[in-house]
Amino acid sequence: MIKEYYTIEDAIALSGLSAKDYFSYMEGDLKPEEEILPELFINSPEEEEELIKQLSRG
């Protein structure tokens, strides 16, 4: 099996982020969209109910 190693530049390109955003994400300053607006990523009524329960608990 051949192992392939990526450079930081490869990781940035694969992430789809700018270099600044990539490093902000790695340092924890930039949050993924799922954490900021979870309601945009609901795929079923069950997921909607679960999200409502989570958000109403505070």
Side-chain angles (χ1 to χ4, degrees), residues 18-48:
S18 69
K20 179 181 177 185
D21 287 345
Y22 177 80
F23 288 111
S24 291
Y25 176 73
M26 295 305 290
E27 293 173 0
D29 298 331
L30 183 69
K31 295 186 177 195
E33 292 174 334
E34 297 87 15
E35 292 181 25
I36 298 170
L37 296 171
E39 61 272 12
L40 297 179
F41 295 91
I42 295 174
N43 296 316
S44 68
E46 293 81 20
E47 287 183 15
E48 180 181 5

Side-chain angles (χ1 to χ4, degrees), residues 4-16 22:
E4 191 172 329
Y5 297 95
Y6 294 103
T7 64
I8 291 179
E9 290 82 10
D10 293 333
I12 293 169
L14 291 169
S15 74
Y22 177 80

